[in-house]
Amino acid sequence: MVSDPARVIDPRFPQLSSEVVAAFLAAPETLVAEVIDGELSLLPRPRPRHANAATRLARRLGGFFDPIDDEPGGWVILAEPELRLGPGPDIVAPDLAGWRRPRFPENALEDNAPAFLSVAPDWVCEVLSPSTQSLDRGRKMRVYRREGIAHLWYLDPEARTVEVYRLERGRYALLDTYEDDAVIRAEPFESADLALASLWRL
């Protein structure tokens, strides 16, 4: 039996074709490379408005990562981490991801740690844009659901909205959509106020 050269297996990516693996590894740094269901997606880097909203949200949630005084703490929150999830694996890079500290890999921040994480986060946030919205709401959402990620947010800086979802019985339930300059308390960070107006301005 002659083996299929397209199925040469890279042990890091046991279910992916050699062409997809090669294209993923060769992706330029100017693009975001993701692999879902064995298919490669090359997406443009976030536009300034998109990056500004993600950066500001990460800053507003900073107290959960690095608590001061009576702030709640208990989380590790990272911007654009590379996640390799499932047997393929699927390779995704959410705009923001958060792990409750007991679940975050103990040595993940060490110099010799891999450049990716294979432990699914407890929360992800995707910042929507016209070029990424269908992927974020479709195949990436299904990956997050399969991996049991309990909380999912969609942040839309153009519409000035935040959609908050919770995983319930294997499906994401929309808890609420918040608009404009609302001050919210949203799962899983409901112990602190989040002023949405701060996400939209420079």
Side-chain angles (χ1 to χ4, degrees):
M1 180 175 177
V2 178
S3 63
D4 179 357
R7 290 297 301 146
V8 174
I9 294 175
D10 183 318
R12 298 169 297 173
F13 309 97
Q15 304 299 325
L16 302 181
S17 72
S18 58
E19 287 90 346
V20 168
V21 171
F24 171 76
L25 295 175
E29 293 186 3
T30 54
L31 298 174
V32 177
E34 297 183 310
V35 179
I36 304 174
D37 298 330
E39 295 182 11
L40 177 69
S41 295
L42 295 175
L43 303 168
R45 286 285 171 189
R47 297 180 65 182
R49 177 188 284 181
H50 177 122
N52 179 66
T55 300
R56 284 186 162 274
L57 177 58
R59 191 177 304 151
R60 293 302 175 271
L61 297 178
F64 288 88
F65 187 178
D66 189 13
I68 299 172
D69 298 328
D70 59 350
E71 292 177 329
W75 287 80
V76 175
I77 298 172
L78 302 180
E80 292 191 336
E82 180 181 312
L83 307 180
R84 297 186 185 179
L85 304 174
D90 289 309
I91 305 169
V92 293
D95 291 290
L96 295 170
W99 290 257
R100 297 185 189 275
R101 282 187 183 272
R103 294 191 62 254
F104 191 73
E106 185 175 344
N107 300 317
L109 302 183
E110 300 294 334
D111 290 342
N112 61 350
F116 61 89
L117 291 158
S118 56
V119 174
D122 297 287
W123 167 81
V124 294
C125 178
E126 296 287 3
V127 184
L128 300 176
S129 67
S131 62
T132 65
Q133 183 165 194
S134 61
L135 183 64
D136 290 337
R137 291 188 179 278
R139 289 189 291 165
K140 287 180 76 172
M141 178 189 254
R142 289 191 286 275
V143 170
Y144 299 152
R145 186 178 68 203
R146 182 196 71 207
E147 296 299 315
I149 296 173
H151 301 278
L152 170 63
W153 289 14
Y154 289 125
L155 176 64
D156 188 335
E158 294 188 16
R160 292 165 52 110
T161 60
V162 177
E163 298 171 30
V164 176
Y165 293 83
R166 180 202 301 145
L167 191 64
E168 296 181 351
R169 301 182 186 88
R171 298 286 176 183
Y172 279 115
L174 176 63
L175 301 183
D176 215 330
T177 300
Y178 303 97
E179 306 91 5
D180 298 322
D181 296 341
V183 177
I184 70 173
R185 290 197 167 206
E187 291 186 11
F189 305 112
E190 67 270 30
S191 58
D193 290 336
L194 173 62
L196 297 191
S198 67
L199 307 182
W200 320 132
R201 65 172 181 258
L202 289 175

Short mmCIF file of all heavy atoms in Angstrom, two decimals, residues 8 19 21 23 43 54 59 65 72 86 89-90 95 100 104 119 123 129 133 137 140 151 156 160 169 181-182 196:
data_model
loop_
_atom_site.label_atom_id
_atom_site.label_comp_id
_atom_site.label_asym_id
_atom_site.label_seq_id
_atom_site.Cartn_x
_atom_site.Cartn_y
_atom_site.Cartn_z
N VAL A 8 1.49 12.94 5.24
CA VAL A 8 2.66 12.83 6.10
C VAL A 8 2.34 13.54 7.41
O VAL A 8 1.93 14.69 7.41
CB VAL A 8 3.90 13.46 5.43
CG1 VAL A 8 5.07 13.47 6.40
CG2 VAL A 8 4.25 12.70 4.17
N GLU A 19 0.15 19.93 3.77
CA GLU A 19 0.01 21.23 3.10
C GLU A 19 -0.51 22.29 4.07
O GLU A 19 -0.03 23.42 4.09
CB GLU A 19 -0.94 21.12 1.91
CG GLU A 19 -0.36 20.39 0.72
CD GLU A 19 -0.65 18.89 0.77
OE1 GLU A 19 -1.07 18.40 1.85
OE2 GLU A 19 -0.42 18.22 -0.24
N VAL A 21 -0.30 22.22 7.38
CA VAL A 21 0.73 22.47 8.39
C VAL A 21 1.81 23.40 7.83
O VAL A 21 2.21 24.37 8.48
CB VAL A 21 1.35 21.15 8.88
CG1 VAL A 21 2.57 21.42 9.76
CG2 VAL A 21 0.31 20.33 9.63
N ALA A 23 1.60 25.56 5.35
CA ALA A 23 1.08 26.90 5.14
C ALA A 23 0.90 27.64 6.47
O ALA A 23 1.16 28.84 6.57
CB ALA A 23 -0.25 26.84 4.38
N LEU A 43 -6.09 35.74 8.24
CA LEU A 43 -6.90 36.93 8.46
C LEU A 43 -6.01 38.13 8.69
O LEU A 43 -4.91 38.01 9.24
CB LEU A 43 -7.81 36.72 9.68
CG LEU A 43 -8.73 35.50 9.60
CD1 LEU A 43 -9.36 35.24 10.95
CD2 LEU A 43 -9.80 35.71 8.54
N ALA A 54 -9.91 46.06 22.17
CA ALA A 54 -9.39 44.88 22.87
C ALA A 54 -8.41 45.28 23.96
O ALA A 54 -8.45 44.75 25.09
CB ALA A 54 -8.73 43.94 21.87
N ARG A 59 -7.29 46.14 29.75
CA ARG A 59 -6.86 47.03 30.83
C ARG A 59 -7.94 47.14 31.91
O ARG A 59 -7.64 47.13 33.11
CB ARG A 59 -6.55 48.41 30.25
CG ARG A 59 -5.86 49.34 31.22
CD ARG A 59 -5.52 50.67 30.55
NE ARG A 59 -4.71 50.47 29.36
CZ ARG A 59 -4.72 51.27 28.31
NH1 ARG A 59 -5.51 52.34 28.28
NH2 ARG A 59 -3.94 51.04 27.28
N PHE A 65 -6.70 40.14 36.87
CA PHE A 65 -5.44 39.45 36.60
C PHE A 65 -4.41 39.78 37.70
O PHE A 65 -3.75 38.90 38.24
CB PHE A 65 -4.92 39.89 35.23
CG PHE A 65 -3.70 39.15 34.73
CD1 PHE A 65 -3.20 39.46 33.47
CD2 PHE A 65 -3.07 38.18 35.46
CE1 PHE A 65 -2.08 38.80 32.97
CE2 PHE A 65 -1.95 37.50 34.97
CZ PHE A 65 -1.46 37.83 33.73
N PRO A 72 -10.94 41.78 42.88
CA PRO A 72 -11.24 40.35 43.04
C PRO A 72 -10.13 39.38 42.66
O PRO A 72 -9.96 38.36 43.31
CB PRO A 72 -12.46 40.15 42.13
CG PRO A 72 -12.41 41.28 41.16
CD PRO A 72 -11.79 42.44 41.89
N GLY A 86 -8.20 20.28 21.06
CA GLY A 86 -8.77 19.09 20.44
C GLY A 86 -7.73 18.24 19.75
O GLY A 86 -6.54 18.57 19.72
N PRO A 89 -4.77 19.44 16.01
CA PRO A 89 -5.71 20.23 16.80
C PRO A 89 -6.32 21.35 15.97
O PRO A 89 -5.85 21.66 14.88
CB PRO A 89 -4.81 20.82 17.89
CG PRO A 89 -3.50 21.04 17.16
CD PRO A 89 -3.37 19.91 16.18
N ASP A 90 -7.40 21.97 16.51
CA ASP A 90 -7.84 23.26 15.99
C ASP A 90 -6.93 24.32 16.60
O ASP A 90 -6.60 24.26 17.79
CB ASP A 90 -9.29 23.53 16.36
CG ASP A 90 -10.25 22.64 15.59
OD1 ASP A 90 -10.14 22.59 14.35
OD2 ASP A 90 -11.10 21.99 16.22
N ASP A 95 -9.14 37.14 20.54
CA ASP A 95 -8.58 38.46 20.86
C ASP A 95 -8.15 38.53 22.32
O ASP A 95 -7.10 39.08 22.64
CB ASP A 95 -9.59 39.55 20.53
CG ASP A 95 -9.79 39.68 19.03
OD1 ASP A 95 -8.86 40.14 18.35
OD2 ASP A 95 -10.86 39.29 18.52
N ARG A 100 -9.22 30.88 34.92
CA ARG A 100 -9.18 30.96 36.37
C ARG A 100 -7.82 30.40 36.81
O ARG A 100 -7.34 29.40 36.27
CB ARG A 100 -10.33 30.18 36.98
CG ARG A 100 -11.69 30.78 36.59
CD ARG A 100 -12.84 30.07 37.29
NE ARG A 100 -14.12 30.51 36.76
CZ ARG A 100 -14.80 31.59 37.14
NH1 ARG A 100 -14.27 32.38 38.09
NH2 ARG A 100 -15.96 31.91 36.61
N PHE A 104 -4.86 27.50 35.04
CA PHE A 104 -3.82 27.96 34.12
C PHE A 104 -2.58 27.09 34.29
O PHE A 104 -2.13 26.84 35.43
CB PHE A 104 -3.47 29.42 34.40
CG PHE A 104 -2.61 30.05 33.34
CD1 PHE A 104 -3.14 30.37 32.10
CD2 PHE A 104 -1.27 30.30 33.58
CE1 PHE A 104 -2.35 30.95 31.12
CE2 PHE A 104 -0.47 30.87 32.60
CZ PHE A 104 -1.02 31.19 31.37
N VAL A 119 -4.67 24.09 27.10
CA VAL A 119 -5.74 24.06 28.09
C VAL A 119 -6.77 25.12 27.70
O VAL A 119 -6.44 26.31 27.58
CB VAL A 119 -5.19 24.35 29.51
CG1 VAL A 119 -6.33 24.46 30.51
CG2 VAL A 119 -4.21 23.26 29.93
N TRP A 123 -12.90 31.77 29.62
CA TRP A 123 -13.59 32.91 28.99
C TRP A 123 -12.81 33.31 27.75
O TRP A 123 -11.57 33.29 27.75
CB TRP A 123 -13.63 34.08 29.97
CG TRP A 123 -14.02 35.41 29.41
CD1 TRP A 123 -15.29 35.87 29.15
CD2 TRP A 123 -13.14 36.50 29.06
NE1 TRP A 123 -15.24 37.16 28.66
CE2 TRP A 123 -13.92 37.57 28.60
CE3 TRP A 123 -11.74 36.66 29.09
CZ2 TRP A 123 -13.39 38.78 28.17
CZ3 TRP A 123 -11.19 37.86 28.67
CH2 TRP A 123 -12.01 38.90 28.21
N SER A 129 -15.21 42.20 13.54
CA SER A 129 -14.96 43.10 12.42
C SER A 129 -15.61 42.45 11.20
O SER A 129 -15.89 41.24 11.19
CB SER A 129 -13.47 43.30 12.19
OG SER A 129 -12.86 42.10 11.76
N GLN A 133 -16.15 38.35 11.34
CA GLN A 133 -17.38 38.08 12.08
C GLN A 133 -17.96 36.69 11.78
O GLN A 133 -18.38 35.97 12.70
CB GLN A 133 -18.42 39.16 11.79
CG GLN A 133 -19.68 38.99 12.57
CD GLN A 133 -20.55 40.23 12.56
OE1 GLN A 133 -21.47 40.32 13.36
NE2 GLN A 133 -20.29 41.19 11.70
N ARG A 137 -18.39 33.90 14.72
CA ARG A 137 -19.72 33.47 15.14
C ARG A 137 -20.06 32.05 14.68
O ARG A 137 -21.06 31.48 15.13
CB ARG A 137 -20.78 34.43 14.59
CG ARG A 137 -20.76 35.81 15.22
CD ARG A 137 -21.96 36.60 14.75
NE ARG A 137 -22.03 37.93 15.31
CZ ARG A 137 -22.53 38.22 16.52
NH1 ARG A 137 -22.97 37.25 17.29
NH2 ARG A 137 -22.58 39.47 16.95
N LYS A 140 -15.48 29.14 14.91
CA LYS A 140 -14.75 29.34 16.18
C LYS A 140 -15.68 29.15 17.38
O LYS A 140 -15.28 28.55 18.38
CB LYS A 140 -14.08 30.71 16.21
CG LYS A 140 -12.88 30.81 15.29
CD LYS A 140 -12.22 32.17 15.33
CE LYS A 140 -11.40 32.40 16.55
NZ LYS A 140 -10.61 33.66 16.47
N HIS A 151 -17.66 30.84 29.14
CA HIS A 151 -18.12 32.21 28.90
C HIS A 151 -17.52 32.74 27.60
O HIS A 151 -16.33 32.58 27.34
CB HIS A 151 -17.71 33.13 30.05
CG HIS A 151 -18.25 32.68 31.38
ND1 HIS A 151 -19.53 32.96 31.80
CD2 HIS A 151 -17.68 31.95 32.37
CE1 HIS A 151 -19.72 32.43 33.00
NE2 HIS A 151 -18.61 31.82 33.36
N ASP A 156 -18.17 44.51 19.76
CA ASP A 156 -18.28 45.13 18.43
C ASP A 156 -18.04 46.63 18.57
O ASP A 156 -18.95 47.37 18.96
CB ASP A 156 -19.67 44.86 17.83
CG ASP A 156 -19.78 45.30 16.38
OD1 ASP A 156 -19.02 46.20 15.98
OD2 ASP A 156 -20.61 44.74 15.65
N ARG A 160 -20.75 49.40 18.90
CA ARG A 160 -20.64 49.77 20.31
C ARG A 160 -21.51 48.88 21.18
O ARG A 160 -22.32 49.34 21.98
CB ARG A 160 -20.98 51.25 20.51
CG ARG A 160 -19.95 52.17 19.88
CD ARG A 160 -20.45 53.62 19.76
NE ARG A 160 -20.95 54.17 20.99
CZ ARG A 160 -20.37 55.13 21.71
NH1 ARG A 160 -19.21 55.63 21.31
NH2 ARG A 160 -20.93 55.59 22.79
N ARG A 169 -25.80 23.49 29.00
CA ARG A 169 -26.19 22.22 28.40
C ARG A 169 -25.64 22.07 26.98
O ARG A 169 -26.33 21.64 26.06
CB ARG A 169 -27.71 22.06 28.39
CG ARG A 169 -28.35 22.10 29.77
CD ARG A 169 -29.86 21.88 29.69
NE ARG A 169 -30.49 22.06 30.99
CZ ARG A 169 -30.94 23.22 31.45
NH1 ARG A 169 -30.80 24.31 30.70
NH2 ARG A 169 -31.50 23.30 32.62
N ASP A 181 -22.85 53.49 26.10
CA ASP A 181 -22.08 53.92 27.26
C ASP A 181 -22.58 53.29 28.56
O ASP A 181 -22.35 53.83 29.65
CB ASP A 181 -22.12 55.45 27.38
CG ASP A 181 -21.46 56.12 26.19
OD1 ASP A 181 -20.68 55.46 25.49
OD2 ASP A 181 -21.71 57.32 25.97
N ALA A 182 -23.22 52.14 28.47
CA ALA A 182 -23.73 51.47 29.66
C ALA A 182 -22.59 51.10 30.61
O ALA A 182 -21.45 50.85 30.19
CB ALA A 182 -24.50 50.21 29.27
N LEU A 196 -18.61 50.80 29.46
CA LEU A 196 -18.37 50.56 28.04
C LEU A 196 -17.83 51.78 27.33
O LEU A 196 -17.10 51.64 26.35
CB LEU A 196 -19.66 50.08 27.37
CG LEU A 196 -20.24 48.75 27.86
CD1 LEU A 196 -21.36 48.30 26.92
CD2 LEU A 196 -19.18 47.68 27.98
#
